Amino acid sequence: MKPVSMLAALLTALCLTAQPTPDPATAKALQNFDDIKFGMFIHWGLYALPAGEWKGKYVRGIGEWIMFREKIPVKEYEGLANQFNPVKFDANQWAQLAADAGMKYLVITSKHHDGFAMYGSKASPYNVVDATPFHRDPMKELSAACAQRNIDFGFYYSQDQDWHEAGGRGNNWDFPEKRDAQPYLEKKVFPQIKEILSNYGKLSLIWFDTPGLLSVKQVTDLRGMVKSLQPSCLINSRIGHGRHDYTQTGDNAIPQQVYTKDGKWEVPATLNDTWGFKKNDNNWKDPRDLIAKLADVTSKGGNYLLNVGPTAEGVIPQASQNILRTIGGWLKVNGESIYRTTPSPFAVNGITWRATVKPGRLYVHILNWPGTNLTMEGLESKVTSASFLANNVPVKFKQSGGKVSFELPEKAVDANDTVLVVNIADQVPRVAAAHRAGVIPARLDLYAWESRLRGEEVRYDWATTSATNFKKFEQESNALWWYPYKALDGSYSVEITYSCDNAAAGSKFRISSDIRGAQSVGQVEGAIEGTDGKFVIKKLPGRLRVTPATDFLNFGLSGDDRSASVKVQKITLVH
Ligand code: FHN
């Protein structure tokens, strides 16, 4: 691929085309946003009441979509408001949890797709103050609690989807007729945007979602309104039509790429499989996984926005609290390797380590303990000293022939992520061309850990660094999705590193190169053979086409439930 088309593809992918140079207020806010790295997302609304169950039936999928999934009529869903009384809500507890977790910003749903305002709105009576027995404005309390703790406060607002309104997108069971968005925007969206930007102090950002079908003019007006009220309020890319200040990846989607110069970006992610509270979703992620992902995202130049879904009583689930406090404990010791760092100068290489940078210093995040030696290739800057951040214990090293070898103890200092401080003689690390960020190796490994686990059954296991329990292939579930380098362009042969019990033989692997909402660009398949439970590398027949338009690589199994025992460590694309 030519460098010019590579760059164009990258810019398109990040929706950064036609981005104006930010005005001074926005530029300053972006710099702050870049420094703080880690935030709390809160999905809280009426959907916390049914909590994933409707009329005694378990409802699959994310909890806040229950109205849509069950096609609950507006009148019936509205009835939830009469029962919504979160008497255990304590804004100080929530904000303190964010502080304890080391989170520096907080974004909460002022209105999700169900159309219910979680703040006191004059623009619509369908709001928490007027329509519920609670009668308090939790957002007022929360913005104040955040301000007291120096936590930047922001609002999520679903601008296009609104299942409560005829002019909002999504509800075709109550409103089958053709939708006209403009009256909805004028009567509800614009007045509510004005309210949330006027009545809750300084908003660090506004988080729009699922941009859908609004026109360029409508979106431009929306942006204009935000900026006229609070010029420094950042706007995320889900406003649509490129009218944003910074970019979101997909949900739980961490790109493989190290982005350095292409604008600020953020990964929104869940602690389990839902955003809004679901009583039976206990598929909690391991704090180790989340700490490693925070390091991974930071090393690639992004921010990590981790979600909690409080109950209808106003309580953040204990499991979420425990996870967040564990992350906070790690950050207390290792925070200097995350906040105010710049991205790694190295190409992403496996899942052993990631790097973040400050002037004259690399922080090497050791995510998978490699034994008594860690070798880094490509660092040209002279290493002057090395030590562990957690205990200041010096680490011996040898540097020669473009390699640095660090002598490590047998066991990790911190199993979650041991940070090795590497001081160098240059302010900005120098890295050999072959190892620089953006270089794609001839054999490109895509580890299960780097993927987005799709479906409610798939699990990741650190002990074997593999994902398992795929059950059967479905487009929407039980799969691994990778977001590969946008510069990939060609046909690749594919290898899989996997194990499976002999009894599972006979099912099939399937990997497709997918464009969201369109036909796959390419696909390969291969039979699963029994491996006596040992990890083996298997080459699949055929070649997989991947283009810059590929949004994600989709891995799944076809066959019956026997394939649940298959464990997948990685796929490798070979050029
Ligand atoms: O549909 C929403 C979903 O409910 C949730 O709010 C996530 C968070 O990023 N955004 C949308 C899906 O991408």
Side-chain angles (χ1 to χ4, degrees), residues 41 43 62 64-65 112-113 156 207 209-210 238 251 268 275:
F41 209 1
H43 277 66
I62 44 185
E64 68 284 4
W65 273 71
H112 202 264
H113 309 331
Y156 171 108
W207 217 97
D209 205 1
T210 58
R238 295 193 190 177
D251 297 341
W275 302 88

Side-chain angles (χ1 to χ4, degrees), residues 345-384:
F346 295 97
V348 174
N349 63 339
I351 52 171
T352 304
W353 61 274
R354 295 287 184 268
T356 52
V357 178
K358 278 189 180 162
R361 180 171 275 197
L362 288 168
Y363 296 97
V364 180
H365 296 257
I366 308 176
L367 310 178
N368 278 290
W369 202 248
T372 52
N373 179 274
L374 175 74
T375 301
M376 282 172 68
E377 291 191 53
L379 182 61
E380 290 182 334
S381 298
K382 185 175 159 30
V383 175
T384 54

Side-chain angles (χ1 to χ4, degrees), residues 81-93:
N82 305 326
Q83 303 159 46
F84 191 78
N85 195 13
V87 288
K88 295 190 181 157
F89 169 71
D90 180 339
N92 283 308
Q93 275 180 14

Side-chain angles (χ1 to χ4, degrees), residues 157-161 184-185 189 208-209 211 214 222 238-239:
Y157 188 90
S158 175
Q159 76 279 26
D160 185 30
Q161 286 204 78
Y184 152 72
L185 289 174
V189 177
F208 293 111
D209 205 1
L214 298 181
L222 193 57
R238 295 193 190 177
I239 191 174

Side-chain angles (χ1 to χ4, degrees), residues 24 135 159 197 241 258 270 287 324 417 423 436 464-465 530:
H135 295 309
Q159 76 279 26
L197 280 146
H241 295 303
V258 178
T270 51
L324 294 186
D417 169 359
N423 291 312
R436 274 183 210 150
T464 54
T465 59

